[in-house]
Amino acid sequence: MIIEIRTYRLHPGTREEFVRVMREESVPLLRAHGIDVVDCGPSLVDEDGHEEAYLIRAFASLAHHREREDTFYGSDAWRLGPREAIVSRIASCHSIVVAASEAAITALRR
């Protein structure tokens, strides 16, 4: 198993709406495309005063990660759905992918 941890530095004043759209629109769509969303939400700390948020996703393997992402990001449901509401609020994004046990993934779930 692997987990991907994404952090988003957001444009000022957009975090509340970014998190709402992520939770209410993007996460259900990710799950419908077979992506295991472990957790997401606002950062508790604003690094250097920047609004930030995060998304944690789990995959069976790197190949599964690539396959699911290609399918999701190529879908009309994403491109014509919440994509603009999400992407327009992101100033920058960083991802890290690491191996993780089922127990570790379970411990991260909310």
Side-chain angles (χ1 to χ4, degrees), residues 26-107:
S26 185
V27 167
L29 195 55
L30 285 162
R31 288 181 171 143
H33 280 83
I35 296 174
D36 181 4
V37 177
V38 176
D39 194 16
C40 69
S43 174
L44 297 178
V45 177
D46 293 339
E47 185 177 322
D48 299 326
H50 296 282
E51 294 182 14
E52 296 183 320
Y54 67 93
L55 172 66
I56 303 171
R57 307 183 305 176
F59 298 90
S61 66
L62 284 173
H64 184 249
H65 177 268
R66 282 188 290 276
E67 173 192 310
R68 293 292 87 211
E69 279 206 330
D70 288 349
T71 300
F72 175 76
Y73 290 117
S75 73
D76 285 343
W78 166 249
R79 287 186 288 110
L80 303 174
R83 182 190 181 282
E84 184 58 29
I86 292 288
V87 173
S88 67
R89 291 174 169 86
I90 299 171
S92 64
C93 175
H94 179 76
S95 294
I96 186 169
V97 179
V98 298
S101 67
E102 279 288 339
I105 293 167
T106 299

